[in-house]
C-alpha cells in the first residue's frame, strides 16, 4: 500500500498543485484526511530514500558525508513528526458533520499507523544508533499504545460505518508488525478475516503477518 519506489505524489510540483486545488474551487471539500494522506505520502517517500541510501552507503562516501546525509534524513523525519502532532491538534477541533464523520473515523485509524510507520524508518537499522543522531522514532510504550488504538478504532469503524473495509488493511499491516502478544495477533486475524469476506486480499495480509510473527528477527515494514 505504501510505495516501494519514488512516487510523483511526493514531488514538489504535485504537492504545489494539490495545495492550490484545495485553496481554490475545491476548498469546501477539504478535510483533515487530505492533510494526513499528504503526510503519509511524504513518509513513504522518505522511507524509500532512506532504505536506498542505507543499503548502498559506504561505497563512495566518507564517514562525514554519511553522517551529514543521515542527519538530513533525520531532520526530515522530525519535520514529519511535527506535522503529525500539528495534524492531531487540528483534527481534535475539526467541526463534526455527517459528511465528514466517517472520513474522520478512518483518519483516526490512519494517524497512529502513520506514526508507527514513520518511527519504523529509523527503528530497525543499527546505523542510526551507531551514528548517535537523534531520530523521530517512538518509545516502545508509545508504539504499543498506537497499536492498541489501531485495533480498537478499526473494530469500531468496521462495525459502525459502511466505508470500504479495504482501507483498513494498511493500518492493520503496520500494527501487525509491532504486536507483542498472542491476544493482539488473534485480534488482527479476526479483523482481517472479517475484511476477507469482501476482499480476499486480506488473506494475503494475514499470511504475510503469520510469517512476520514466526520470525524472531524484527523486519522493517516497507509495504502493507
Amino acid at each position: 500500500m505504501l510505495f516501494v519506489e519514488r512516487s510523483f505524489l511526493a514531488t514538489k510540483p504535485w504537492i504545489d498543485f494539490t495545495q492550490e486545488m484545495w485553496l481554490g474551487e475545491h476548498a469546501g471539500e477539504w478535510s483533515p484526511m487530505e492533510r494526513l494522506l499528504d503526510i503519509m505520502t511524504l513518509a513513504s517517500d522518505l522511507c524509500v530514500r532512506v532504505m536506498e541510501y542505507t543499503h548502498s552507503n559506504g561505497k563512495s562516501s566518507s564517514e562525514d558525508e554519511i553522517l551529514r546525509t543521515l542527519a538530513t534524513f533525520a531532520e526530515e523525519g522530525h519535520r514529519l513528526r511535527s506535522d503529525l502532532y500539528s495534524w492531531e491538534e487540528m483534527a481534535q477541533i475539526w467541526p463534526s458533520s455527517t459528511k465528514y464523520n466517517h472520513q474522520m473515523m478512518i483518519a483516526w485509524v490512519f494517524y497512529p499507523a502513520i506514526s508507527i510507520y514513520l518511527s519504523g524508518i529509523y527503528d530497525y537499522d543499527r546505523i542510526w544508533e551507531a551514528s548517535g543522531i537523534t531520530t523521530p522514532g517512538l518509545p516502545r510504550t508509545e508504539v504499543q499504545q498506537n497499536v492498541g488504538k489501531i485495533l480498537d478504532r478499526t473494530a469500531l469503524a468496521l462495525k459502525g460505518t459502511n466505508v470500504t473495509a479495504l482501507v483498513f488493511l494498511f493500518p492493520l499491516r503496520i500494527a501487525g508488525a509491532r504486536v507483542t502478544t498472542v491476544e493482539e495477533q488473534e485480534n488482527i486475524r479476526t479483523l482481517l478475516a472479517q475484511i476477507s469476506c469482501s476482499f480476499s486480499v486480506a488473506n494475503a495480509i494475514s499470511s504475510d503477518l503469520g510469517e512476520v510473527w514466526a520470525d524472531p528477527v524484527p523486519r522493517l515494514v516497507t509495504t502493507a
Side-chain angles (χ1 to χ4, degrees):
M1 289 185 180
L2 293 182
F3 313 121
V4 292
E5 58 185 22
R6 301 293 299 277
S7 168
F8 76 93
L9 296 176
T11 61
K12 189 176 186 303
W14 178 259
I15 293 173
D16 290 344
F17 168 75
T18 56
Q19 289 178 342
E20 290 177 6
M21 181 181 69
W22 293 124
L23 290 173
E25 59 181 307
H26 296 284
E29 301 172 19
W30 190 91
S31 77
M33 185 65 178
E34 307 300 338
R35 175 56 179 151
L36 191 60
L37 292 176
D38 288 341
I39 297 172
M40 182 178 76
T41 299
L42 293 173
S44 178
D45 182 76
L46 173 61
C47 181
V48 173
R49 288 184 285 116
V50 169
M51 289 187 65
E52 288 177 348
Y53 184 78
T54 56
H55 288 177
S56 64
N57 83 77
K59 295 181 179 179
S60 59
S61 301
S62 67
E63 183 176 352
D64 287 344
E65 289 173 329
I66 292 173
L67 289 175
R68 282 196 296 271
T69 302
L70 292 178
T72 299
F73 284 142
E75 289 172 6
E76 191 171 344
H78 282 298
R79 286 195 296 271
L80 289 174
R81 177 67 65 197
S82 178
D83 289 343
L84 281 171
Y85 290 145
S86 296
W87 181 91
E88 182 179 25
E89 293 177 358
M90 172 188 62
Q92 287 175 339
I93 61 174
W94 187 255
S96 177
S97 69
T98 302
K99 180 179 180 181
Y100 292 118
N101 278 350
H102 287 181
Q103 192 176 78
M104 287 306 298
M105 184 173 285
I106 296 172
W108 282 115
V109 177
F110 268 63
Y111 174 70
I114 297 170
S115 185
I116 292 175
Y117 181 84
L118 177 60
S119 181
I121 296 174
Y122 309 91
D123 288 345
Y124 300 133
D125 196 320
R126 294 180 180 178
I127 194 172
W128 295 104
E129 183 177 0
S131 71
I133 296 172
T134 302
T135 73
L138 297 174
R140 290 186 179 182
T141 53
E142 191 168 346
V143 170
Q144 294 312 307
Q145 289 171 359
N146 281 329
V147 167
K149 290 175 182 178
I150 293 169
L151 300 186
D152 292 344
R153 292 171 183 176
T154 299
L156 182 62
L158 288 174
K159 182 178 180 180
T161 73
N162 59 359
V163 298
T164 175
L166 195 64
V167 300
F168 299 112
L169 293 183
F170 159 66
L172 287 176
R173 178 60 179 83
I174 295 298
R178 296 298 192 107
V179 296
T180 57
T181 68
V182 173
E183 181 181 0
E184 289 174 334
Q185 292 177 8
E186 290 304 317
N187 195 344
I188 290 178
R189 284 196 177 99
T190 298
L191 293 170
L192 288 173
Q194 185 177 345
I195 296 173
S196 70
C197 293
S198 301
F199 302 99
S200 59
V201 67
N203 292 323
I205 301 296
S206 186
S207 296
D208 180 51
L209 284 174
E211 295 180 6
V212 172
W213 296 333
D215 186 353
V217 180
R219 299 185 299 176
L220 176 63
V221 178
T222 56
T223 59

